[in-house]
Amino acid sequence: MVLVSGCLGLRVSETLALKWRDFNFDECTPSIEQVFTHGQVQNVPKADASGNEIPVHPKLCETLRTWHTKRKHD
């Protein structure tokens, strides 16, 4: 979580709300559509730019893809 948040410059609330379905591994971009605040996930991002897709470094994208694939088989 720290790696993703730090590499993408996300707020903690945005990072906590991320789901695997938010990642487009072909484009290497997550879509920030939700935030986690006051103990629940909310569908309204804090800032206007939060809904935008964020480019991810190819190495981070590959690391996340590998982790996601391994998690599906655990």
Side-chain angles (χ1 to χ4, degrees):
M1 183 174 6
V2 172
L3 179 66
V4 172
S5 183
C7 288
L8 300 179
L10 298 177
R11 295 179 182 93
V12 172
S13 61
E14 293 167 334
T15 304
L16 290 174
L18 281 175
K19 306 281 187 222
W20 285 116
R21 68 174 181 259
D22 297 330
F23 283 88
N24 179 337
F25 289 109
D26 295 329
E27 303 275 327
C28 283
T29 57
S31 182
I32 310 303
E33 303 290 335
Q34 301 175 335
V35 295
F36 184 83
T37 185
H38 303 294
Q40 62 186 355
V41 175
Q42 297 181 2
N43 289 326
V44 181
K46 184 174 180 179
D48 292 338
S50 296
N52 296 339
E53 290 182 343
I54 302 166
V56 177
H57 190 279
K59 291 277 189 191
L60 177 59
C61 187
E62 187 56 38
T63 300
L64 292 173
R65 184 190 317 255
T66 300
W67 183 28
H68 179 56
T69 302
K70 285 177 131 178
R71 297 286 303 157
K72 287 169 59 172
H73 296 4
D74 284 345

